[in-house]
Each structure stands twice: as C-alpha cells, then as structure tokens.
Amino acid sequence: MDGMRELLDGYLPIEQYGLIGNLHTAAMVGMDGSIDFMCWPEFDSPSVFCRLLDKNKGGHFAITPTHPAATSKQQYLPFSNVLSTKFLCEDGVGVVTDFMHRPRPKSRSHSHMMPWLVRSVEVIRGEMTFDLECFPAFDYARTSHTLEISEVKDAQQAKPKRHASEAENSVFQSVFMHWDITDQNAESFNGTERAVFTPEKLSHTEGLGQTSNLADHAAQTAVSPMDLRYIVGCMGGGSCPLVKLTATDHPGGLGKGVTSQFKMLEGQRVFFVLRATPDVEADKMRAAGAAEEEIAAYMAKYDPPMSMKYAETLMEDTLLYWLGWIRSCTYFGRWLENVERSALILKLMTYEPTGAVVAAVTFSLPEAIGDSGRNWDYRFTWVRDSAFTMYAFMRLGLNKEAKHYMEFVRRLCREKNADGGLQIMYTLRGGREMPELVLSHLEGYRGCAPVRIGNGAADHLQLDIYGELLDAVYLYNKFSQPLSYDEWVDVRALVDYVCDNYNQPDMGIWEVRGRRQNFTYSKVQCWVAIDRGLRLVDKRDFPCHDKERWRQTRDSLYEEIMERAWNNELEMFTQSYENSEMLDAAVLAMPLVFFCAGTDPRFVKTMRRIMLPPHRGGLTANNLVFRYNAVETDDGLSGEEGTFSLCTFWLAEALSRASKADITLLYKSQVIIDEMIMYGNHVGLFSEEIDKSGKHLGNFPQAFTHIALISAAYNVNRALKSNKPASSS
C-alpha cells in the first residue's frame, strides 16, 4: 500500500482520509489504513500522531495489508461515524473498522464513555497478511518516550458467552458485523502482551497551554502514557492469528514504536485498543488522598477485563449512539445522504462538555501548496462558525444541539471583553488565550511550512460575528425555544455594542492579516445584528429604551452600505469601502440574511459578475468560487489559494433567492450543488478549499463548509419542491 503515498513524496492527498471521534477528540484514518493525525485526549491537546504534517517525525498508527496489489475502499457504516476500510486482493478481503466509543443511549450498563481508540481487523474472504506499525510522537513530536512491552497478567483463553440465543441485538449485529455471532464454537482470548509508551515530562514556556485558564492548561498540555492492547478471535475452533509486538526504531522518531506482521484467515478477527493508561489517573487519585475503594471503583470502570464480547459491545454501543442521534433529523429532501453526513460530521466536531463547535479538527494544513504561509490552527470555536452551526442544526430539527450551544453563548456573554464586545474565537472551554507558535521542527504537509499551533487572530476585531450570532439567536427564539429575560439582556447589550462600534474598520470574515478596512460583509452583518434586535423587540415586546436609536442606526447604516459599498461604474458591491474595485464572494450572503431581496438589481448584477471567470474580472472557475482575488487583495499574505467551498454553496443558495426573476437560476443552483457534492471526498467530507485540479486544501474537514452545504441544500430543495423561487422575505 506504500504506492498510495509515492506520488506525493510520502503523503496521502488530504481527501483520502475519513474521520472518527468521540465528541472530545478525533482521528484521521487514511485509505491505506493509517491513522496519521490524532490529538489526545481532547481536540486541542498535543498530537500523538501527526504524520499528516511530517512524514518522518509526526508519528502514525498503521494497519495495512502486505499484498502489493491490494486496493482499498472506505465508507462509513450506515447512519454512523464508524469508519470501515476494506482491502481487496486476489488472495482475500480484509476489513479494518475504526471508531472511538460513544455510550449506548439510555443504557444503565453502558452509560459512560470509554476514552479508547478501537481498531477491528477481520478477514471476510480467503486470507490476508497485515503489517501493524504504531509509532507515537508525543507533544507535537517534541517529546521523547520510552517503550515497554510487558505480559498481560489477566490474559487467558475463554469461550465467549455471546451466542445467538443470548445476544441482545443479534439481528443488528449480523447486519453491521462480519463476525458470525451464531457460531457456537467461536473462541477468543486477550492478547498476552501490551505495549506501554511513556513520554518524558516536559514543560514549555510558550505556545498553547500557557494560560491562566486551568482547564485550558490541563487540556492543551496533556501528555500522558498510552498503552496498546489486543484481543484475538478465531472461528469454528480453528487456529487463531498470531500477533506478536516487536520493539522497532523509527527514523526521525523520538522513541521506539511497535510493529507486528500477522496472517489472518476468513472468520478470524483481532481488536486493537489504544488508550491512556488508566493506572496513571489512579496514581493521581492516590496522591490526592482518595480512598482505595474509590480508586478501585475507578479502575473497575475504566480498566475492565478485555474480551471479544466487550470490544464488540463497544462497537455496538457506538453504532446505536450515532443511529439514534441521526434519527432525530427531520430533513427528507434532495441530497439527503449528503445532508445527513454533514450533520453527523458537525456533531462529531462538537465538544460535548460545553457544546462548542471546533472549526476543524486539524491544524496547519495549507490553503496553497508552496510557501504562501496560509497555514492556521482551527482547533478552536469561532463565534461565526458556531452560530451558523446552530442555524444548521435547527433547520434539521436537531434542537438539543442548538440549546446546548446557546448555553455556551450565555457563558460568553457573561464574560465579555472590557469594552462590552466578544472575541471572535474562544477555546473549546471558553478560554480567551491561544498564543500562536511555529513548530519549526515539523516540515508541514508536503513541505508546506510553517506549522502553527494556536491562533494569532484571536484578538482581531471582526464585527460580522455579531450579526451571525444574533441572527442565530433570533432563529433560536423563533424555531427552538423562547428567549428568557436574562438572555434578552445579553442580546440588548450586544446590540448596543454594535450601535457604538459599527463604523470601525475591522479585519473581516476572512481574518486578513493586512490593514483594517470597512469590509462590506462586516457592515451588512452589523445591520443584521441591529435588525434582529429590533425584530425581537417587536415580536416579544422586550423592554428597550434605545429602540429608536437602534432603528435610526440600522436605517442609516443600510443607506451607507448602498452608497459607499456600491461601485456605480462597475455595477457591483465591492469588498470594502476602501477597495472600491475589488470583488468579494462574502457579499453573496446579502439575500441569505435578508439584507436585500435576491432579485434586487444591484445584487443580481454583483452575483453575475462574481460568476464570471477570474480573467474576466469574476471569481468563478468551473462553477467553483474564490472568496476574493488573493493576488490583488491586500490580505497580508503572499501567493494564491484554492476556491472556497463555503462560497460555492453560498452562490447556489443566492441563485435560488434570485430565481424569482429568472427561473433558470433555480436550476443553475441545483447544478452547482450537484457538482460541488462531486468534489466531496469518498465519504462525503469537505475541506476548506478546492484547488485547480480538484484536490482538497486547508484544514479538514471544515465545519463551515458542511454548514453551508446543509443551508444550501435546505433552501434550494425548498424552492425546487415548491416549483417556484425561494421567498425573499
């Protein structure tokens, strides 16, 4: 399978990965069976595997067939985030199934989450030999580690008790699992050895984790020992696969890893479990003075005896969790499979303890191949992205997630900046500090340095976030749950802030690192913020002593935008008041937020100009939309970038809004969505950008793109279903 990486000098294309996770962290699994990216134990914790950003030093956990002609297929098991990679060759067919455990809904016996990475390997036809490589690289490959391979004391052969007459969900398992649970002769045993990786304890004086927020510090500096265990299963009383872990040096690594080569026959199965060693937490509890009974209860809960039955139960729990969750989705229109996959990915990227949505699970995947420097850390929650996510969940009838995020918003509103505003982004726990640091020892994906952790844009002024947030709050009040008085007080304070600050230049939705400007999109969203505040006053009769001031500010801002952001000669809305000849695809959102009608002549002329190819002054190539002209725009960075997937979906939705005047635009919007979905990867995931050859660029998968897919599908489907243009009011 090494041939998959030869074309890109040891790297897989970004689009050849699937994603698994447990609402605390996530891992990227390549089509060759290698986990090349995983931060542990939380999304913004240091990486354990990061071959995605350095093929030699980054670390990986691979299970791949040895047959040189083996091919692979990858898919999610239906209605879930359990990932199946199937390897095929003349000699046999093998399947690697990857997941992180989620507890079974409403179960008394399986109510807690096991924080494990689980990899199931089985052969379903013929025979196949696999190579296993587990080379962790702790703390962003900055920390060395030791390896100990030891005997497992509780390893023993045991007949499983799960037979057809006793299995709780045998029909369900027979559909999703290749293991024949009706075989009365099935045997399994716990592996006789385990590999323990113990990282050196280091402290850093800069970068992520250097914060006064104790919860952020604990998560962002977490580096703990991990162990690899396995469980072997064989069918019909036959021979079992022999798995033997061998300590192995890895070029460029900071410690030994383990390798193993094992042959499997049809009907055999092996589970591999990678986890933080539970005895470390027990030692901490003991040092803190916990009673031995309490420690024993913890160990019984998080270090249970391993067996084939237990491993299968974890998989079954996880499948039932995701199936139960997606069944709450109320959308049944066009592109249903893509919408459901986007919803499942957004849920996977939600940090369960707070409800915050991570913008992407990765950091520093480049927006352009080369030395443009457009590499950023997206493992935080942007107010903008999370507000749009709340909108997407509400559109799909998933109001529980919207409510959870509203609780996070309330917390942010109680801890506003000294000037009464919000930061543009926060850590997943609501922290404010995320110092940016370049990891110069990592070469970057395909040599595209620098590799950054943290994000220096955290203190940017981006006024558009208030419109996006208050629009989501308005819709939450309308479609989910009425706002309380205390929530209204928070809203009122934010609207007052916008009225006081809307005339300031900012850094815009694209977080440019050049000079501040009066970006058109930011001004439109300031108008939205004030407008939604006024709508809440009118619909709910909330008290507002400054209502007239709000109304005057909103109306004067509208006229200002129409005057200063409109280029009468070029007949288009411009990127900013200062860049009066520059297009920006962000203005496609104007009718989406009801700033203007989709049929407004000014908007239609702007949209049609955006749809022109770049060499004719537009932003569209092959029905894919650039966010702006990166070469001519002063964004503080060099080089070009790919088309922006979010903007392409915005164009499709804007076309449906404009179709009242021209019905052909409605069908154009459908074509754009159909074509854009074609650019998704084999399991329906989207990165931030698409390059000229159709390859994915930027952090992956990106929440914003999946949000835009849901919104465009929902609104274009509604217009197509009614066989008339979408409403503009």
Side-chain angles (χ1 to χ4, degrees):
M1 300 295 290
D2 288 341
M4 298 180 70
R5 297 175 180 267
E6 289 179 357
L7 291 176
L8 299 181
D9 191 28
Y11 292 93
L12 284 182
I14 293 172
E15 63 270 17
Q16 287 193 11
Y17 287 93
L19 184 72
I20 60 172
N22 60 7
L23 310 191
H24 291 259
T25 190
M28 303 264 288
V29 186
M31 288 190 68
D32 62 352
S34 179
I35 294 178
D36 289 345
F37 185 91
M38 184 180 77
C39 296
W40 192 272
E42 303 199 336
F43 289 112
D44 55 347
S45 297
S47 62
V48 174
F49 303 122
C50 199
R51 181 156 67 164
L52 194 61
L53 294 173
D54 194 304
K55 63 179 182 292
N56 295 317
K57 301 175 185 176
H60 64 279
F61 182 7
I63 301 176
T64 57
T66 59
H67 197 291
T71 60
S72 66
K73 307 288 183 183
Q74 195 175 68
Q75 67 175 7
Y76 284 106
L77 296 186
F79 313 111
S80 80
N81 282 316
V82 176
L83 190 66
S84 173
T85 307
K86 183 174 290 187
F87 299 104
L88 306 95
C89 66
E90 289 292 331
D91 297 334
V93 176
V95 180
V96 176
T97 304
D98 293 300
F99 67 95
M100 292 184 184
H101 177 244
R102 286 297 303 165
R104 183 182 308 195
K106 301 179 181 179
S107 171
R108 295 181 179 179
S109 58
H110 306 94
S111 59
H112 66 281
M113 185 186 79
M114 298 302 295
W116 297 356
L117 168 65
V118 184
R119 311 198 73 183
S120 163
V121 187
E122 58 185 320
V123 170
I124 59 175
R125 178 182 67 79
E127 62 182 48
M128 186 168 282
T129 301
F130 290 91
D131 277 333
L132 176 145
E133 296 181 345
C134 185
F135 291 103
F138 292 95
D139 190 22
Y140 305 109
R142 294 183 295 184
T143 300
S144 61
H145 67 269
T146 60
L147 167 66
E148 180 185 2
I149 301 177
S150 59
E151 183 179 347
V152 177
K153 297 179 181 179
D154 62 350
Q156 58 181 344
Q157 296 239 5
K159 286 280 186 82
K161 299 179 180 179
R162 297 177 65 243
H163 300 309
S165 60
E166 300 171 285
E168 295 178 1
N169 292 282
S170 58
V171 174
F172 182 86
Q173 293 175 10
S174 67
V175 171
F176 289 104
M177 300 181 183
H178 299 291
W179 178 273
D180 184 2
I181 62 172
T182 64
D183 190 334
Q184 303 289 328
N185 297 313
E187 295 183 351
S188 68
F189 63 89
N190 194 354
T192 59
E193 57 188 354
R194 73 168 183 165
V196 180
F197 306 95
T198 304
E200 180 185 357
K201 293 184 178 180
L202 291 180
S203 59
H204 303 285
T205 59
E206 55 183 353
L208 273 181
Q210 309 311 307
T211 171
S212 58
N213 185 307
L214 296 181
D216 281 346
H217 176 77
Q220 294 170 358
T221 60
V223 179
S224 62
M226 303 188 76
D227 72 353
L228 177 65
R229 299 275 300 271
Y230 60 89
I231 308 153
V232 177
C234 44
M235 300 298 292
S239 62
C240 296
L242 176 62
V243 180
K244 181 68 176 176
L245 301 180
T246 302
T248 308
D249 287 315
H250 182 62
L254 295 177
K256 290 181 180 292
V258 295
T259 59
S260 181
Q261 187 173 101
F262 51 94
K263 181 179 180 179
M264 297 181 67
L265 305 178
E266 181 176 337
Q268 295 179 343
R269 187 176 197 175
V270 182
F271 274 98
F272 293 94
V273 175
L274 183 68
R275 60 180 185 167
T277 53
D279 49 338
V280 172
E281 184 62 30
D283 291 341
K284 291 180 181 178
M285 295 172 65
R286 192 172 286 110
E292 285 301 319
E293 294 81 1
E294 183 181 352
I295 296 172
Y298 173 86
M299 293 299 289
K301 186 175 182 180
Y302 289 104
D303 191 25
M306 290 195 182
S307 66
M308 186 64 66
K309 174 181 178 179
Y310 191 75
E312 288 182 345
T313 300
L314 294 183
M315 182 185 290
E316 180 184 294
D317 287 350
T318 306
L319 286 165
L320 287 170
Y321 172 84
W322 290 114
L323 174 63
W325 184 81
I326 197 61
R327 285 179 64 185
S328 301
C329 177
T330 59
Y331 181 79
F332 297 102
R334 289 171 176 81
W335 309 291
L336 174 61
E337 183 177 351
N338 306 97
V339 168
E340 288 186 337
R341 174 51 50 200
S342 291
L344 283 162
I345 290 300
L346 289 175
K347 177 64 173 177
L348 190 64
M349 295 167 67
T350 301
Y351 182 60
E352 186 176 46
T354 63
V357 179
V358 65
V361 302
T362 58
F363 58 90
S364 285
L365 286 178
E367 296 174 10
I369 300 301
D371 58 357
S372 71
R374 299 173 184 267
N375 313 340
W376 316 110
D377 189 347
Y378 277 15
R379 298 172 299 157
F380 309 105
T381 183
W382 270 251
V383 171
R384 175 188 307 112
D385 296 35
S386 296
F388 280 128
T389 302
M390 185 164 67
Y391 164 80
F393 280 147
M394 285 189 292
R395 280 302 190 199
L396 301 181
L398 302 168
N399 291 326
K400 181 179 178 181
E401 281 65 33
K403 182 177 180 181
H404 199 186
Y405 178 68
M406 270 298 296
E407 294 170 357
F408 184 67
V409 169
R410 283 198 292 270
R411 175 183 168 186
L412 300 183
C413 288
R414 289 193 299 267
E415 302 172 2
K416 292 190 288 289
N417 298 337
D419 64 355
L422 301 174
Q423 282 196 176
I424 66 165
M425 69 179 84
Y426 295 84
T427 69
L428 301 176
R429 291 154 291 276
R432 297 169 174 273
E433 301 168 74
M434 50 205 81
E436 190 170 287
L437 176 69
V438 172
L439 302 178
S440 57
H441 65 288
L442 297 178
E443 71 171 19
Y445 177 75
R446 296 177 58 186
C448 297
V451 173
R452 294 184 176 97
I453 57 173
N455 199 301
D459 59 354
H460 277 192
L461 177 66
Q462 295 175 20
L463 294 170
D464 65 284
I465 66 171
Y466 300 99
E468 292 140 354
L469 176 60
L470 293 180
D471 188 38
V473 170
Y474 170 78
L475 293 172
Y476 177 81
N477 174 82
K478 183 176 181 179
F479 294 113
S480 184
Q481 184 171 310
L483 293 183
S484 67
Y485 172 74
D486 290 330
E487 290 168 336
W488 164 246
V489 171
D490 291 332
V491 168
R492 187 172 61 190
L494 291 179
V495 177
D496 283 336
Y497 174 86
V498 174
C499 288
D500 292 337
N501 293 275
Y502 75 91
N503 56 356
Q504 292 191 51
D506 69 349
M507 308 301 276
I509 181 177
W510 308 130
E511 295 176 2
V512 298
R513 300 212 171 185
R515 63 190 175 95
R516 289 187 179 186
Q517 300 177 53
N518 289 282
F519 286 99
T520 302
Y521 179 81
S522 295
K523 301 304 181 187
V524 168
Q525 288 292 355
C526 285
W527 177 91
V528 170
I530 304 170
D531 178 75
R532 300 313 188 259
L534 286 167
R535 290 193 190 199
L536 284 169
V537 171
D538 293 338
K539 293 181 180 298
R540 292 289 308 279
D541 292 325
F542 280 127
C544 181
H545 301 296
D546 291 327
K547 180 179 179 180
E548 190 55 36
R549 177 197 176 214
W550 288 8
R551 193 178 305 280
Q552 290 177 359
T553 303
R554 181 195 64 179
D555 294 348
S556 63
L557 177 56
Y558 193 99
E559 293 190 344
E560 175 185 299
I561 294 169
M562 287 299 184
E563 179 181 346
R564 299 187 63 187
W566 175 252
N567 184 316
N568 202 46
E569 182 179 344
L570 297 177
E571 295 188 313
M572 68 179 196
F573 286 109
T574 61
Q575 183 181 58
S576 67
Y577 295 171
E578 293 82 358
N579 273 341
S580 60
E581 296 184 356
M582 194 68 63
L583 268 177
D584 191 323
V587 301
L588 289 169
M590 283 180 163
L592 279 55
V593 297
F594 304 123
F595 175 81
C596 66
T599 56
D600 186 294
R602 290 190 176 193
F603 175 76
V604 172
K605 290 174 181 177
T606 303
M607 181 179 66
R608 290 192 179 278
R609 179 171 286 271
I610 288 173
M611 293 172 67
L612 293 174
H615 68 272
R616 294 177 57 194
L619 296 175
T620 303
N622 191 27
N623 278 342
L624 300 174
V625 182
F626 294 91
R627 54 181 174 175
Y628 52 76
N629 187 320
V631 175
E632 297 181 7
T633 296
D634 175 21
D635 60 5
L637 299 165
S638 62
E640 299 182 6
E641 61 179 15
T643 58
F644 218 72
S645 301
L646 161 74
C647 296
T648 303
F649 284 119
W650 273 2
L651 174 59
E653 190 169 349
L655 284 164
S656 74
R657 304 277 181 171
S659 61
K660 186 174 183 179
D662 182 355
I663 193 63
T664 62
L665 298 180
L666 180 57
Y667 301 106
K668 176 69 172 176
S669 70
Q670 183 178 10
V671 168
I672 288 177
I673 293 180
D674 287 338
E675 290 192 2
M676 188 60 199
I677 285 174
M678 180 177 63
Y679 287 101
N681 80 344
H682 57 286
V683 288
L685 306 187
F686 288 88
S687 64
E688 188 172 33
E689 299 183 13
I690 305 293
D691 74 4
K692 294 177 181 178
S693 63
K695 302 294 185 182
H696 287 213
L697 293 171
N699 285 307
F700 177 86
Q702 195 208 28
F704 218 164
T705 304
H706 286 277
I707 294 163
L709 185 156
I710 291 172
S711 180
Y714 180 92
N715 287 293
V716 174
N717 173 74
R718 183 172 60 178
L720 289 166
K721 187 176 180 180
S722 63
N723 200 27
K724 61 183 181 181
S727 171
S728 296
S729 61

